[in-house]
Coordinates of all heavy atoms in Angstrom, one line a residue:
M1 N 3.2 15.7 10.7 CA 2.7 16.8 11.5 C 1.4 16.6 12.0 O 1.1 16.8 13.2 CB 2.7 18.1 10.7 CG 2.4 19.4 11.4 SD 3.8 19.8 12.6 CE 3.1 21.3 13.2
K2 N 0.5 15.9 11.2 CA -0.9 15.6 11.7 C -0.8 14.6 12.7 O -1.6 14.7 13.7 CB -1.6 15.0 10.5 CG -3.1 15.3 10.5 CD -3.7 14.8 9.2 CE -5.0 15.6 8.9 NZ -5.7 15.1 7.7
L3 N 0.0 13.6 12.7 CA 0.2 12.6 13.8 C 0.6 13.3 15.1 O 0.1 12.9 16.2 CB 1.2 11.5 13.3 CG 1.3 10.4 14.4 CD1 0.0 9.7 14.6 CD2 2.3 9.5 13.9
S4 N 1.6 14.2 15.0 CA 2.0 14.7 16.4 C 0.9 15.6 17.0 O 0.9 15.7 18.2 CB 3.3 15.5 16.0 OG 3.0 16.7 15.1
Q5 N 0.0 16.3 16.1 CA -1.1 17.0 16.8 C -2.0 16.1 17.4 O -2.6 16.4 18.5 CB -1.8 17.8 15.6 CG -0.9 19.1 15.2 CD -1.6 19.9 14.1 OE1 -2.6 19.3 13.5 NE2 -1.2 21.1 14.0
R6 N -2.3 14.9 16.9 CA -3.2 13.9 17.4 C -2.6 13.4 18.8 O -3.2 13.2 19.8 CB -3.4 12.8 16.5 CG -4.4 13.1 15.4 CD -4.7 12.0 14.5 NE -5.5 12.4 13.4 CZ -5.7 11.6 12.4 NH1 -5.3 10.4 12.3 NH2 -6.5 12.0 11.3
V7 N -1.3 13.1 18.7 CA -0.6 12.6 19.9 C -0.7 13.6 21.0 O -0.9 13.4 22.1 CB 0.8 12.2 19.6 CG1 1.6 11.9 20.8 CG2 0.8 10.9 18.7
L8 N -0.3 14.9 20.7 CA -0.4 16.0 21.6 C -1.8 16.2 22.2 O -2.0 16.3 23.4 CB 0.1 17.3 21.0 CG 0.2 18.4 21.9 CD1 1.1 18.3 23.0 CD2 0.6 19.7 21.0
S9 N -2.8 16.1 21.4 CA -4.1 16.3 21.8 C -4.5 15.1 22.8 O -5.2 15.3 23.8 CB -5.1 16.2 20.6 OG -4.9 17.3 19.8
A10 N -4.1 13.9 22.5 CA -4.4 12.8 23.3 C -3.7 13.0 24.7 O -4.3 12.6 25.8 CB -4.0 11.4 22.6
L11 N -2.4 13.4 24.7 CA -1.8 13.5 25.9 C -2.3 14.6 26.7 O -2.4 14.4 27.9 CB -0.2 13.8 25.5 CG 0.5 12.7 25.0 CD1 2.0 13.1 24.7 CD2 0.7 11.6 26.0
L12 N -2.7 15.6 26.1 CA -3.4 16.7 26.9 C -4.7 16.3 27.5 O -5.1 16.5 28.7 CB -3.7 17.9 25.9 CG -4.2 19.2 26.5 CD1 -3.2 19.6 27.6 CD2 -4.5 20.2 25.5
L13 N -5.5 15.5 26.8 CA -6.7 14.9 27.3 C -6.4 14.0 28.4 O -7.2 14.0 29.4 CB -7.6 14.2 26.2 CG -8.8 13.6 26.6 CD1 -9.8 14.6 27.0 CD2 -9.4 12.8 25.5
I14 N -5.5 13.2 28.4 CA -5.2 12.2 29.4 C -4.7 12.9 30.6 O -5.1 12.6 31.8 CB -4.1 11.2 28.9 CG1 -4.7 10.3 27.9 CG2 -3.5 10.4 30.2 CD1 -3.7 9.4 27.3
S15 N -3.9 14.0 30.4 CA -3.5 14.8 31.6 C -4.6 15.5 32.3 O -4.7 15.6 33.5 CB -2.4 15.9 31.2 OG -3.0 16.8 30.3
F16 N -5.7 16.0 31.6 CA -6.9 16.5 32.2 C -7.7 15.5 33.0 O -8.1 15.8 34.1 CB -7.7 17.2 31.1 CG -7.3 18.5 30.6 CD1 -7.5 18.8 29.3 CD2 -6.7 19.5 31.4 CE1 -7.0 20.0 28.8 CE2 -6.3 20.7 31.0 CZ -6.4 21.0 29.6
I17 N -7.7 14.3 32.4 CA -8.5 13.3 33.1 C -7.8 12.9 34.4 O -8.4 12.7 35.5 CB -8.6 12.0 32.2 CG1 -9.6 12.4 31.1 CG2 -9.2 10.8 32.9 CD1 -9.7 11.3 30.0
L18 N -6.5 12.8 34.3 CA -5.7 12.5 35.6 C -5.8 13.6 36.5 O -5.9 13.3 37.8 CB -4.2 12.2 35.2 CG -4.0 10.8 34.4 CD1 -2.5 10.8 34.0 CD2 -4.4 9.6 35.2
A19 N -5.7 14.7 36.2 CA -5.9 15.9 37.2 C -7.2 15.9 37.8 O -7.4 16.2 39.0 CB -5.6 17.2 36.3
A20 N -8.3 15.7 37.0 CA -9.6 15.6 37.6 C -9.8 14.5 38.5 O -10.5 14.7 39.6 CB -10.7 15.6 36.4
T21 N -9.2 13.4 38.2 CA -9.3 12.2 39.1 C -8.5 12.5 40.5 O -9.0 12.2 41.5 CB -8.8 10.9 38.5 OG1 -9.4 10.7 37.2 CG2 -8.8 9.7 39.4
A22 N -7.3 13.1 40.4 CA -6.7 13.4 41.6 C -7.4 14.4 42.4 O -7.4 14.3 43.6 CB -5.2 13.9 41.2
T23 N -8.0 15.3 41.9 CA -8.7 16.4 42.6 C -9.9 15.8 43.3 O -10.2 16.1 44.4 CB -9.1 17.5 41.6 OG1 -8.0 18.1 41.0 CG2 -9.8 18.6 42.3
S24 N -10.7 14.9 42.6 CA -11.8 14.3 43.2 C -11.5 13.4 44.4 O -12.1 13.3 45.3 CB -12.6 13.6 42.2 OG -12.0 12.5 41.6
E25 N -10.4 12.7 44.2 CA -9.9 11.7 45.3 C -9.5 12.6 46.5 O -9.8 12.2 47.6 CB -8.8 10.9 44.8 CG -9.2 9.8 43.8 CD -8.0 9.0 43.3 OE1 -6.9 9.3 43.7 OE2 -8.3 8.1 42.5
M26 N -8.9 13.7 46.4 CA -8.5 14.5 47.5 C -9.9 15.1 48.3 O -9.8 15.1 49.4 CB -7.7 15.7 47.1 CG -6.3 15.3 46.7 SD -5.1 16.6 46.4 CE -6.0 17.7 45.4
G27 N -10.8 15.4 47.4 CA -12.0 15.8 48.1 C -12.8 14.7 48.8 O -13.4 15.0 49.8
L28 N -12.7 13.6 48.3 CA -13.4 12.4 49.0 C -12.6 12.1 50.4 O -13.4 11.8 51.4 CB -13.3 11.1 48.2 CG -14.2 11.1 46.9 CD1 -14.0 9.9 46.1 CD2 -15.7 11.3 47.3
A29 N -11.4 12.2 50.4 CA -10.7 12.0 51.7 C -11.1 12.9 52.7 O -11.3 12.7 53.9 CB -9.2 12.1 51.5
A30 N -11.3 14.2 52.3 CA -11.6 15.3 53.3 C -13.1 15.2 53.7 O -13.4 15.6 54.8 CB -11.4 16.7 52.6
D31 N -13.9 14.6 52.9 CA -15.4 14.5 53.2 C -15.8 13.2 53.7 O -16.9 12.8 53.6 CB -16.1 14.9 51.9 CG -15.9 16.2 51.4 OD1 -15.6 17.1 52.2 OD2 -16.1 16.4 50.2
K32 N -14.8 12.4 54.3 CA -15.2 11.1 54.9 C -16.3 11.2 56.0 O -16.0 12.0 56.9 CB -14.0 10.4 55.3 CG -14.2 9.0 55.7 CD -13.0 8.2 56.0 CE -13.3 6.7 56.4 NZ -12.2 6.1 56.8
V33 N -17.2 10.5 55.9 CA -18.4 10.5 57.0 C -18.2 9.2 57.8 O -18.3 8.2 57.2 CB -19.7 10.7 56.4 CG1 -20.8 10.7 57.3 CG2 -19.7 12.1 55.6
C34 N -18.2 9.4 59.1 CA -18.3 8.3 60.0 C -19.6 8.2 60.5 O -20.3 9.1 60.8 CB -17.3 8.4 61.2 SG -15.6 8.4 60.7
K35 N -20.1 6.9 60.7 CA -21.4 6.6 61.2 C -21.4 5.5 62.2 O -20.6 4.5 62.1 CB -22.5 6.3 60.1 CG -22.2 5.2 59.2 CD -23.2 5.0 58.2 CE -22.9 3.9 57.2 NZ -23.8 3.7 56.2
T36 N -22.4 5.7 63.2 CA -22.5 4.6 64.2 C -23.8 4.6 64.7 O -24.7 5.5 64.6 CB -21.5 5.0 65.5 OG1 -21.5 3.8 66.4 CG2 -22.0 6.2 66.2
R37 N -24.2 3.4 65.2 CA -25.6 3.2 65.6 C -25.9 4.0 66.8 O -25.0 4.0 67.8 CB -25.8 1.7 65.9 CG -27.3 1.3 66.1 CD -27.5 -0.1 66.2 NE -28.7 -0.5 66.8 CZ -29.1 -1.8 67.1 NH1 -28.2 -2.7 66.9 NH2 -30.2 -1.9 67.6
S38 N -27.1 4.6 66.9 CA -27.5 5.5 68.0 C -27.6 4.7 69.2 O -28.2 3.6 69.3 CB -28.7 6.2 67.7 OG -29.2 6.9 68.8
D39 N -27.1 5.2 70.4 CA -27.3 4.5 71.7 C -28.6 5.0 72.4 O -29.1 4.3 73.2 CB -26.1 4.9 72.7 CG -24.8 4.4 72.2 OD1 -24.8 3.3 71.7 OD2 -23.8 5.0 72.5
R40 N -29.1 6.2 72.0 CA -30.3 6.7 72.7 C -31.5 6.5 72.0 O -32.6 6.5 72.6 CB -30.1 8.2 72.9 CG -29.0 8.6 73.7 CD -29.4 8.8 75.1 NE -28.3 9.2 76.0 CZ -28.3 10.3 76.7 NH1 -29.3 11.1 76.7 NH2 -27.3 10.6 77.5
F41 N -31.5 6.3 70.7 CA -32.8 6.1 69.8 C -33.2 4.7 70.1 O -32.5 3.7 69.9 CB -32.5 6.3 68.4 CG -33.8 6.5 67.5 CD1 -34.2 7.8 67.3 CD2 -34.4 5.4 67.0 CE1 -35.3 7.9 66.5 CE2 -35.5 5.5 66.3 CZ -36.0 6.8 66.0
S42 N -34.5 4.5 70.4 CA -35.1 3.2 70.7 C -36.2 3.0 69.7 O -36.9 3.8 69.2 CB -35.7 3.1 72.2 OG -36.6 4.0 72.3
G43 N -36.4 1.6 69.3 CA -37.5 1.3 68.5 C -37.0 1.4 66.9 O -35.8 1.5 66.7
V44 N -37.9 1.1 66.1 CA -37.7 1.2 64.6 C -37.6 2.6 64.2 O -38.5 3.4 64.5 CB -38.8 0.4 63.9 CG1 -38.6 0.5 62.4 CG2 -38.9 -1.0 64.3
C45 N -36.6 2.9 63.4 CA -36.4 4.3 62.9 C -37.3 4.6 61.7 O -37.2 3.9 60.6 CB -35.0 4.5 62.6 SG -34.5 6.2 62.2
L46 N -38.3 5.5 61.9 CA -39.2 5.7 60.7 C -39.0 7.2 60.2 O -39.5 7.5 59.1 CB -40.6 5.6 61.2 CG -41.0 4.2 61.7 CD1 -42.4 4.2 62.2 CD2 -40.8 3.2 60.5
S47 N -38.3 8.1 61.0 CA -38.2 9.4 60.7 C -36.7 9.8 60.6 O -36.1 9.8 61.7 CB -39.0 10.3 61.6 OG -38.7 11.7 61.4
N48 N -36.2 10.3 59.6 CA -34.8 10.8 59.5 C -34.6 12.0 60.5 O -33.7 12.2 61.1 CB -34.4 11.1 58.1 CG -34.1 9.9 57.3 OD1 -33.6 8.8 57.8 ND2 -34.3 10.0 56.0
N49 N -35.7 12.8 60.5 CA -35.7 14.0 61.3 C -35.6 13.7 62.8 O -34.8 14.3 63.4 CB -36.9 14.9 61.0 CG -36.8 16.2 61.6 OD1 -35.7 16.9 61.6 ND2 -37.9 16.7 62.2
N50 N -36.3 12.8 63.2 CA -36.3 12.4 64.7 C -35.0 11.8 65.0 O -34.3 12.1 66.0 CB -37.4 11.4 64.9 CG -38.7 12.0 65.0 OD1 -38.9 13.2 65.1 ND2 -39.8 11.1 65.0
C51 N -34.4 11.0 64.2 CA -33.1 10.4 64.3 C -32.0 11.5 64.4 O -31.2 11.4 65.2 CB -32.8 9.4 63.1 SG -31.2 8.6 63.1
A52 N -32.0 12.4 63.4 CA -31.0 13.5 63.5 C -31.1 14.3 64.7 O -30.0 14.6 65.2 CB -31.3 14.4 62.3
I53 N -32.3 14.6 65.2 CA -32.5 15.3 66.5 C -31.8 14.6 67.6 O -31.1 15.2 68.5 CB -34.0 15.7 66.7 CG1 -34.4 16.7 65.7 CG2 -34.2 16.2 68.2 CD1 -35.9 16.9 65.8
I54 N -32.1 13.3 67.7 CA -31.5 12.6 68.9 C -30.0 12.6 68.8 O -29.2 12.8 69.7 CB -32.0 11.1 68.8 CG1 -33.5 11.1 69.1 CG2 -31.3 10.3 69.8 CD1 -33.9 11.5 70.5
C55 N -29.5 12.4 67.6 CA -28.0 12.3 67.4 C -27.3 13.6 67.7 O -26.3 13.7 68.3 CB -27.6 11.9 66.0 SG -28.1 10.2 65.6
Q56 N -27.9 14.7 67.3 CA -27.4 16.0 67.5 C -27.6 16.6 68.9 O -26.5 17.0 69.5 CB -28.1 17.1 66.6 CG -27.8 16.9 65.1 CD -28.7 17.7 64.2 OE1 -29.7 18.3 64.7 NE2 -28.3 17.8 63.0
Q57 N -28.6 16.4 69.5 CA -28.9 16.9 70.8 C -28.3 16.1 72.0 O -27.9 16.6 73.0 CB -30.4 17.2 71.1 CG -30.9 18.3 70.2 CD -32.4 18.7 70.4 OE1 -33.0 18.0 71.3 NE2 -32.9 19.6 69.7
F58 N -28.4 14.8 71.8 CA -28.1 13.9 73.0 C -26.7 13.2 72.8 O -26.2 12.5 73.7 CB -29.1 13.0 73.3 CG -30.4 13.6 73.6 CD1 -31.5 13.7 72.7 CD2 -30.6 14.2 74.9 CE1 -32.7 14.3 73.1 CE2 -31.7 14.9 75.2 CZ -32.8 14.9 74.2
E59 N -26.2 13.0 71.6 CA -25.1 12.2 71.3 C -23.9 13.0 70.6 O -22.9 12.4 70.4 CB -25.4 11.0 70.5 CG -26.5 10.2 71.2 CD -26.7 8.8 70.4 OE1 -25.8 8.1 70.0 OE2 -27.9 8.4 70.3
N60 N -24.0 14.3 70.5 CA -22.9 15.2 70.0 C -22.4 14.7 68.6 O -21.3 14.7 68.4 CB -21.9 15.2 71.0 CG -22.2 15.9 72.3 OD1 -23.1 16.8 72.3 ND2 -21.8 15.4 73.4
F61 N -23.4 14.3 67.6 CA -23.1 14.1 66.3 C -23.5 15.1 65.4 O -24.4 16.0 65.9 CB -23.6 12.7 65.9 CG -22.9 11.5 66.3 CD1 -23.2 11.0 67.5 CD2 -22.0 10.9 65.6 CE1 -22.5 9.8 68.0 CE2 -21.3 9.8 66.0 CZ -21.5 9.3 67.2
D62 N -23.0 15.2 64.2 CA -23.6 16.3 63.2 C -24.9 16.1 62.8 O -25.6 17.0 62.5 CB -22.5 16.3 62.1 CG -21.1 16.8 62.4 OD1 -21.0 17.5 63.5 OD2 -20.2 16.4 61.7
S63 N -25.2 14.8 62.5 CA -26.6 14.5 62.0 C -26.9 13.0 62.2 O -26.1 12.3 62.9 CB -26.7 14.8 60.5 OG -27.9 14.7 60.0
G64 N -28.0 12.6 61.6 CA -28.3 11.2 61.7 C -29.4 10.9 60.7 O -30.1 11.7 60.2
H65 N -29.5 9.6 60.4 CA -30.5 9.1 59.4 C -30.9 7.6 59.6 O -30.2 7.0 60.3 CB -30.1 9.3 58.0 CG -28.9 8.4 57.6 ND1 -27.6 8.8 58.0 CD2 -28.8 7.2 57.0 CE1 -26.7 7.8 57.6 NE2 -27.5 6.9 57.0
C66 N -32.0 7.2 59.1 CA -32.6 5.9 59.2 C -31.9 5.1 58.1 O -31.8 5.5 56.9 CB -34.0 5.9 59.1 SG -35.0 6.8 60.5
E67 N -31.5 3.9 58.5 CA -30.9 2.9 57.5 C -31.3 1.5 57.9 O -31.3 1.2 59.1 CB -29.4 3.1 57.5 CG -28.7 2.5 56.3 CD -27.2 2.9 56.3 OE1 -27.0 4.1 56.0 OE2 -26.4 2.0 56.5
F68 N -31.4 0.6 57.0 CA -31.6 -0.8 57.3 C -30.4 -1.4 57.9 O -29.3 -1.3 57.4 CB -32.0 -1.5 56.0 CG -33.5 -1.4 55.7 CD1 -33.9 -0.6 54.6 CD2 -34.4 -2.1 56.4 CE1 -35.2 -0.5 54.4 CE2 -35.9 -1.9 56.1 CZ -36.2 -1.2 55.1
D69 N -30.6 -2.1 59.0 CA -29.6 -2.9 59.8 C -30.2 -4.3 59.8 O -30.9 -4.5 60.8 CB -29.3 -2.2 61.0 CG -28.2 -3.0 61.8 OD1 -27.4 -3.7 61.1 OD2 -28.1 -2.8 63.1
G70 N -29.9 -5.2 58.8 CA -30.5 -6.4 58.8 C -31.9 -6.2 58.3 O -32.3 -5.6 57.3
A71 N -32.9 -6.7 59.1 CA -34.3 -6.6 58.7 C -35.0 -5.3 59.3 O -36.2 -5.1 58.9 CB -35.1 -7.8 59.3
F72 N -34.3 -4.6 60.2 CA -34.9 -3.5 60.8 C -34.2 -2.1 60.4 O -33.1 -2.1 60.1 CB -34.9 -3.6 62.3 CG -35.5 -4.8 62.9 CD1 -34.8 -5.9 63.3 CD2 -36.9 -4.8 63.1 CE1 -35.4 -7.0 63.8 CE2 -37.5 -6.0 63.5 CZ -36.8 -7.0 63.9
R73 N -35.0 -1.0 60.4 CA -34.4 0.3 60.2 C -33.9 0.8 61.6 O -34.7 0.9 62.6 CB -35.4 1.2 59.6 CG -35.8 0.9 58.2 CD -36.9 1.7 57.5 NE -36.7 3.1 57.8 CZ -36.1 4.0 56.8 NH1 -35.7 3.4 55.7 NH2 -36.0 5.2 57.0
R74 N -32.6 1.1 61.6 CA -32.1 1.7 62.8 C -31.6 3.1 62.6 O -31.4 3.6 61.4 CB -30.8 0.9 63.1 CG -31.0 -0.6 63.2 CD -31.7 -0.8 64.6 NE -31.9 -2.4 64.7 CZ -32.7 -3.0 65.5 NH1 -33.6 -2.2 66.2 NH2 -32.8 -4.2 65.6
C75 N -31.4 3.9 63.7 CA -31.0 5.3 63.6 C -29.5 5.3 63.6 O -28.8 4.7 64.6 CB -31.6 6.0 64.8 SG -30.9 7.7 64.9
L76 N -28.8 5.7 62.6 CA -27.4 5.8 62.5 C -26.9 7.2 62.7 O -27.4 8.1 61.8 CB -26.8 5.3 61.2 CG -27.1 3.8 61.0 CD1 -26.5 3.3 59.7 CD2 -26.4 3.0 62.2
C77 N -26.1 7.7 63.6 CA -25.6 8.9 63.8 C -24.3 9.2 62.9 O -23.6 8.2 62.7 CB -25.2 9.2 65.2 SG -26.6 9.0 66.4
T78 N -24.2 10.3 62.3 CA -23.1 10.6 61.5 C -22.3 11.8 61.8 O -22.8 12.8 62.4 CB -23.5 10.8 60.0 OG1 -24.5 11.8 60.0 CG2 -24.2 9.5 59.5
K79 N -21.0 11.9 61.5 CA -20.2 13.1 61.7 C -19.0 12.9 60.7 O -18.6 11.9 60.3 CB -19.7 13.2 63.1 CG -18.7 12.1 63.6 CD -18.3 12.5 65.0 CE -17.5 11.3 65.4 NZ -17.1 11.5 66.9
N80 N -18.4 14.1 60.4 CA -17.2 14.1 59.5 C -16.1 13.6 60.4 O -15.8 14.0 61.5 CB -16.8 15.5 59.0 CG -17.9 16.0 58.0 OD1 -18.5 15.2 57.3 ND2 -18.0 17.2 57.9
C81 N -15.3 12.6 59.7 CA -14.1 12.1 60.4 C -12.8 13.0 60.3 O -12.7 13.5 59.3 CB -13.8 10.7 60.0 SG -15.2 9.6 60.1

């Protein structure tokens, strides 16, 4: 009887882990973010705020941020895919 309770507990724990993993994977697919280099931002990107403004107002993206592209920081525009 003791062994069957341990087996049942282990199976229950595994099922919870699998359910949590499946739920988190579904959330990741819905929250996928696409990013592309800004066409309008010129120069080295030093301010995430300035980058986001350019991306939102002039390029119809949700947001933007500075990120290293090789040796330079570039403005990358982002939106949900």
Side-chain angles (χ1 to χ4, degrees):
M1 186 69 176
K2 211 176 206 184
L3 179 62
S4 64
Q5 286 180 342
R6 287 183 183 174
V7 171
L8 182 61
S9 297
L11 290 174
L12 188 60
L13 180 63
I14 290 171
S15 66
F16 283 140
I17 292 171
L18 291 175
T21 303
T23 304
S24 67
E25 287 175 359
M26 288 189 312
L28 290 176
D31 297 332
K32 185 174 179 182
V33 175
C34 293
K35 60 184 177 179
T36 185
R37 189 171 164 188
S38 173
D39 292 329
R40 299 269 182 123
F41 194 93
S42 62
V44 178
C45 187
L46 299 175
S47 168
N48 285 329
N49 190 40
N50 290 344
C51 175
I53 290 170
I54 296 295
C55 291
Q56 291 168 347
Q57 291 183 358
F58 299 107
E59 299 187 44
N60 296 320
F61 282 87
D62 295 335
S63 187
H65 65 276
C66 300
E67 191 173 295
F68 278 102
D69 180 22
F72 300 103
R73 287 176 53 94
R74 305 285 186 200
C75 177
L76 297 177
C77 298
T78 59
K79 66 179 175 181
N80 290 333
C81 300

